[in-house]
Amino acid sequence: MAKALHADSPEEFQRWGAWADIVAALSGAVATVILVWEKLARRADPPVVDEERIGQAVADLASRIRTDWAEEAVRREVTRPAPVLVHWSSTGRPAAARRFVIDDRLGGDWQQLPLRGQTDESNNDIVEAFRSLPHRQLMVLGDPGAGKTVFAMLLTLGLIRRPAAGEPLPVLLSIHAWDTTERLADFVARRLAEDYGDVLADYGDPLAFARRLVEKQRVLPILDGLDELPADAIAQAMDSLDLFAAAGRPLVVTCRSDEYEQAVARSRVLSRAAVVELASVEVEDAITYLSQPVPDPRWEPVFAHLRTHQDGPLAGAFSTPLMVALARGTYQAAPTADPVDLLDAAQTAAGQRSVEARLVAAFVPAVYLPRPRRGPSDQSPAVDVTYHPEQAQRWLMFLARHMSEHGVQDVGWWELNPLIRTGFTAISGGLVALLTTLLFVPVFGPAFGLVVAAVTGLGTVAVVRYTGGPPQNIHAEEATPRSALSKERARAISRGLRGGALIGVAIGLLLANLLGLRIGYAALFVVVFGSAYALATMLDHPWGSFLVARLWLGVTGRLPFRLARFLDDAHRRGVLRQSGARHQFRHLILQEYLAGGVSPLSAAPPATTPSQQEADGSGPTPHQQRIRLCVAAVGLVFLTMFVLSTAQWAPTYRSGDRPETIKGVGCGASEGGGGCYEYIAGYQWQVGPGGQVNATFDFPSRQRVIQFRGVAGEFKLARSNRCANAVFEWQLTTEGRLLRSGGVRATGGRLDAAHVPPQQAKTVAVSVRRTDTEPCTAVLHWDRPGGLYRGVIPGAGPLG
């Protein structure tokens, strides 16, 4: 590139320019190959069929699941030191006949031979009851907050800690994200790949391997939250569940009691599944749990009231494990608070509802109170950051409202993009306007350059608004929000540097060569385009849009700047829970309260479908196709404007013998748009016998970044002034260097060979001497004067 710009002849310039084109094209091709290779590398590997490897994968999964749910049980204070004791037994609600459930030919309903047990620390009752079922299919019912998720968690841990030969691996999954038009086996495989993709990646493509595990019945799905599906989808879900179970596959599902009964009325029961229902927490069991790890004197008046009013509002509030756990967590986190306040709430007209509302409302502020350091025996979760309770609650309320408005109960950091559509649009427009300013202002000056920058910025805003905003997919093999963020950040930066930057540098080199730019401005082109394409490639990625989301939501105060750390901290405090790479609130009741009482199930369905979330990010979505088409169109217009606007420009008079300016009128494309415009058609001087002309002209300052290659125009003798025999000798010089010389007479002219011009010309000097002896005044005309520049289309400019 440098040799091309310092070439001593047009032929040498073209030769080196051709090599620059080849290098730039090769760079662009390499970048394109890298991007295509990235996408091909993410395609599914062939399914692994080796039984030994499958067994090892199941063992690795079991270790990971046991660790994750054991930590989650401690974090939710389920097993610290022991869970709330809840009794359960076979339900009296509609269920399958016992001859289908236990192959008993005597027939009769299932509840005639019920299962019974309790959720104690050993989990023996749950595990033994489940293993006693010949089909290993179980439906768990309970009221809101009754402990269905805890039951599923304890069953998962019990089965993994005491494995039986040939038993499939239990995998606890939230079912609320299931689109019931998707096969249940596909949903289980997809969620398995999403939640444990980092483990499965060691054995091949995570999604393909997860499908193989499901097909070979090496996985026991424990599906939590059937009632959290939209009401009109539960009946269809029951049909799909029954179809899945009919193939003899083990299955566990949890659901609220009333929603299950309504679904059975509209659809069917699970033909071979036993149905158990969780009972209310008894008063003494609630007192035992609230007294852990050591009795607290603050609770004594409350315990006395519970024992004497076992059917009262306070006992009713404490009849669910959720409320008992909230009470314990709230008053343990706030040592100065007095549980006696609950007695006042129980005396109000709302009674039980008032107590429950007070517990839910007090939970978040309590867990965010500063905690004094305790001794080594303190088992409270490690908290390495401090948030003001009111501030934390405001952020959580915003997050809960967002989830409720979109009809979801879990959210990933990459799914916050709809929240920042305005910010993403504004930042995109601003960046494009800045890019245009850097490239146009040095060439065309502040006025025209800023106008073009404003137009391109507004055009970008319109494009982003039309295309629907940033992408919303991540790869499937992420296990936690933190690991997903780390890996997607690495992918985005890698794509930006290896793909976008190379393409931008190639485009910058091609444009610099096409426009014949000086080495300094050519370097600016390469840097600007390389940086712009790298940044655009990173922003066209979930991590890039999340980076914008953090800034925009942080500036507007809706969420903290360090959002990932805040969500991670909320998980450690027990406010949120993790579901793979997503976060959920601890319970739907807490989410509803923080969202202002809006039920998420009445809102619109999720914005993304399973097919959109499933994948690895390969293959553009319709929105990405639209935005790339628009960007290509804008880039083409940008280049056309630049090329057409940097062609031939007429010099303007500066000093010396002032000529008469000849103006013309043209119609068509111009600097101001369409229509007709006035331009400089030439200059002329009246020269007497033996006279001389010396005049200096300026070239437009905006042309100083483009390599100068000569001066256009022709010197002619005007024939209408009756001095046809006049003879002139002329010279054109710039920066002290002779460009061209020649002679003019009525019968023709002489033109000497051109000299090598300087790369830049701020001025051009015209020197004319009349050599004839005729006693008349001749008129010398400089027709179509203009500066010529490398790499542009001669005569195509508005003044050409």
Side-chain angles (χ1 to χ4, degrees):
M1 187 69 188
K3 291 186 177 181
L5 294 177
H6 291 88
D8 293 331
S9 66
E11 292 76 14
E12 186 180 359
F13 175 86
Q14 291 176 359
R15 184 172 66 255
W16 286 110
W19 278 108
D21 287 343
I22 293 173
V23 172
L26 288 175
S27 300
V30 169
T32 303
V33 168
I34 289 174
L35 291 177
V36 172
W37 180 263
E38 251 186 0
K39 294 184 179 296
L40 291 176
R42 297 194 212 116
R43 290 186 175 179
D45 297 333
V48 180
V49 296
D50 182 73
E51 288 296 330
E52 183 178 351
R53 295 194 69 201
I54 289 179
Q56 183 59 46
V58 170
D60 291 345
L61 269 177
S63 177
R64 171 64 176 277
I65 293 172
R66 179 174 61 249
T67 301
D68 285 355
W69 283 111
E71 292 177 354
E72 191 68 17
V74 172
R75 190 173 290 111
R76 298 191 205 179
E77 300 190 347
V78 172
T79 58
R80 195 181 64 181
V84 181
L85 192 63
V86 176
H87 295 272
W88 50 267
S89 62
S90 297
T91 184
R93 299 176 187 268
R98 62 188 260 181
R99 65 177 178 272
F100 294 117
V101 177
I102 61 173
D103 297 328
D104 185 353
R105 296 187 179 183
L106 296 178
D109 292 333
W110 165 249
Q111 60 264 28
Q112 293 177 350
L113 186 63
L115 298 174
R116 296 185 187 277
Q118 59 186 18
T119 57
D120 57 6
E121 186 176 4
S122 65
N123 305 331
N124 289 332
D125 289 352
I126 299 176
V127 173
E128 291 176 4
F130 179 73
R131 285 175 173 164
S132 69
L133 300 172
H135 304 294
R136 306 287 175 90
Q137 298 173 7
L138 181 65
M139 174 70 71
V140 183
L141 307 180
D143 294 331
K148 299 179 294 296
T149 300
V150 171
F151 184 99
M153 189 187 308
L154 295 175
L155 176 59
T156 301
L157 289 172
L159 291 173
I160 291 181
R161 286 170 175 168
R162 295 185 296 277
E167 188 173 65
L169 175 68
V171 180
L172 176 55
L173 304 171
S174 296
I175 199 176
H176 62 79
W178 178 30
D179 180 352
T180 53
T181 60
E182 181 185 20
R183 292 176 60 246
L184 181 60
D186 292 338
F187 167 75
V188 172
R190 177 169 60 83
R191 286 304 307 272
L192 189 63
E194 289 176 354
D195 292 357
Y196 304 103
D198 57 335
V199 177
L200 297 178
D202 294 335
Y203 299 92
D205 177 71
L207 184 59
F209 200 97
R211 285 174 175 159
R212 173 64 58 174
L213 294 179
V214 175
E215 289 172 2
K216 296 180 74 65
Q217 298 189 22
R218 302 298 295 271
V219 171
L220 163 61
I222 300 180
L223 306 174
D224 183 32
L226 177 64
D227 55 277
E228 295 173 1
L229 293 173
D232 56 355
I234 295 180
Q236 182 179 357
M238 290 288 289
D239 289 336
S240 299
L241 290 168
D242 193 48
L243 185 64
F244 180 87
R249 296 167 173 169
L251 180 68
V252 179
V253 183
T254 73
C255 184
R256 290 183 180 180
S257 303
D258 292 342
E259 281 78 355
Y260 170 79
E261 193 164 352
Q262 294 168 9
V264 168
R266 294 193 302 267
S267 179
R268 66 178 72 186
V269 298
L270 298 187
S271 304
R272 296 182 179 275
V275 183
V276 298
E277 189 166 7
L278 302 176
S280 300
V281 178
E282 297 180 0
V283 167
E284 289 301 326
D285 294 331
I287 292 174
T288 299
Y289 183 79
L290 292 171
S291 301
Q292 297 172 352
V294 293
D296 188 338
R298 294 178 298 167
W299 283 101
E300 289 305 324
V302 178
F303 293 164
H305 179 86
L306 287 172
R307 289 188 174 101
T308 56
H309 300 83
Q310 297 198 14
D311 295 326
L314 186 59
F318 283 167
S319 64
T320 63
L322 174 64
M323 290 301 158
V324 178
L326 288 181
R328 181 173 179 265
T330 297
Y331 289 100
Q332 277 191 345
T336 59
D338 193 349
V340 175
D341 294 340
L342 298 176
L343 297 178
D344 298 333
Q347 303 302 320
T348 63
Q352 178 177 335
R353 290 183 176 274
S354 178
V355 175
E356 293 172 346
R358 177 165 297 194
L359 288 173
V360 174
F363 176 69
V364 171
V367 298
Y368 278 96
L369 287 174
R371 296 184 181 182
R373 291 188 175 273
R374 301 181 182 177
S377 60
D378 180 24
Q379 297 179 349
S380 60
V383 177
D384 56 3
V385 65
T386 301
Y387 297 101
H388 193 277
E390 293 181 0
Q391 185 183 53
Q393 180 154 353
R394 184 175 69 251
W395 291 334
L396 290 169
M397 289 174 66
F398 175 78
L399 191 63
R401 284 195 298 269
H402 164 71
M403 295 166 67
S404 296
E405 289 168 0
H406 287 79
V408 297
Q409 292 156 43
D410 57 8
V411 65
W413 52 262
W414 65 94
E415 294 170 333
L416 296 175
N417 298 335
L419 295 173
I420 51 106
R421 178 163 181 162
T422 301
F424 191 86
T425 303
I427 291 175
S428 301
L431 289 176
V432 171
L434 177 61
L435 170 66
T436 309
T437 301
L438 289 174
L439 297 181
F440 270 71
V441 168
V443 180
F444 303 105
F448 182 74
L450 291 176
V451 169
V452 174
V455 171
T456 54
L458 293 175
T460 303
V461 168
V463 167
V464 175
R465 293 291 296 178
Y466 165 69
T467 55
Q472 297 184 39
N473 296 324
I474 67 167
H475 292 241
E477 68 268 18
E478 321 305 348
T480 66
R482 181 71 67 175
S483 66
L485 183 60
S486 176
K487 291 180 181 178
E488 292 300 325
R489 177 173 57 242
R491 287 192 181 101
I493 295 175
S494 175
R495 288 184 64 215
L497 295 180
R498 292 191 299 159
L502 284 176
I503 292 176
V505 167
I507 292 176
L509 287 172
L510 287 171
L511 288 177
N513 185 46
L514 174 66
L515 300 174
L517 304 179
R518 291 187 66 187
I519 186 64
Y521 199 65
L524 175 64
F525 249 58
V526 171
V527 171
V528 169
F529 273 92
S531 302
Y533 271 78
L535 181 61
T537 304
M538 285 188 282
L539 290 180
D540 188 31
H541 187 277
W543 177 80
S545 58
F546 171 69
L547 187 64
V548 178
R550 286 177 53 193
L551 295 175
W552 185 259
L553 297 174
V555 168
T556 56
R558 291 178 285 179
L559 286 173
F561 282 104
R562 301 190 65 176
L563 179 57
R565 185 178 72 167
F566 172 72
L567 296 176
D568 197 39
D569 175 76
H571 177 229
R572 286 196 299 269
R573 295 177 189 265
V575 179
L576 300 179
R577 61 186 183 185
Q578 288 182 3
S579 176
R582 293 178 172 85
H583 281 101
Q584 302 172 340
F585 279 93
R586 176 173 179 160
H587 197 277
L588 181 59
I589 292 175
L590 181 60
Q591 177 183 329
E592 290 178 347
Y593 166 76
L594 291 172
V598 179
S599 174
L601 299 182
S602 63
T608 57
T609 63
S611 59
Q612 291 173 324
Q613 296 173 350
E614 169 181 343
D616 47 14
S618 61
T621 63
H623 127 75
Q624 290 172 325
Q625 293 174 344
R626 292 196 305 269
I627 197 169
R628 290 168 187 173
L629 178 62
C630 291
V631 168
V634 170
L636 182 61
V637 172
F638 187 97
L639 176 60
T640 303
M641 289 176 58
F642 198 100
V643 171
L644 296 184
S645 300
T646 56
Q648 178 177 320
W649 294 81
T652 56
Y653 170 77
R654 177 179 181 181
S655 61
D657 297 313
R658 181 180 291 275
E660 178 184 355
T661 302
I662 308 300
K663 295 187 177 181
V665 177
C667 296
S670 70
E671 190 172 14
C676 296
Y677 54 94
E678 190 177 62
Y679 64 95
I680 297 176
Y683 296 108
Q684 64 184 24
W685 295 266
Q686 294 185 7
V687 185
Q692 292 185 353
V693 171
N694 291 286
T696 302
F697 295 84
D698 282 329
F699 284 110
S701 61
R702 52 181 169 264
Q703 297 296 338
R704 294 175 186 172
V705 298
I706 303 177
Q707 189 178 6
F708 177 74
R709 67 184 182 91
V711 178
E714 182 181 4
F715 286 94
K716 296 179 180 179
L717 184 64
R719 298 182 180 181
S720 60
N721 64 349
R722 300 178 182 179
C723 196
N725 294 322
V727 178
F728 290 89
E729 297 288 335
W730 58 267
Q731 286 185 340
L732 293 176
T733 59
T734 181
E735 310 301 328
R737 300 172 63 176
L738 178 64
L739 293 178
R740 208 78 192 249
S741 61
V744 176
R745 63 177 61 226
T747 57
R750 184 189 82 255
L751 189 63
D752 297 336
H755 295 262
V756 177
Q759 289 190 3
Q760 287 301 302
K762 298 180 181 179
T763 61
V764 61
V766 178
S767 298
V768 179
R769 182 173 60 89
R770 184 173 172 181
T771 61
D772 65 278
T773 58
E774 292 288 329
C776 60
T777 300
V779 178
L780 181 68
H781 183 68
W782 185 13
D783 187 33
R784 299 186 303 278
L788 300 179
Y789 302 90
R790 290 195 186 277
V792 297
I793 303 175
L799 300 183

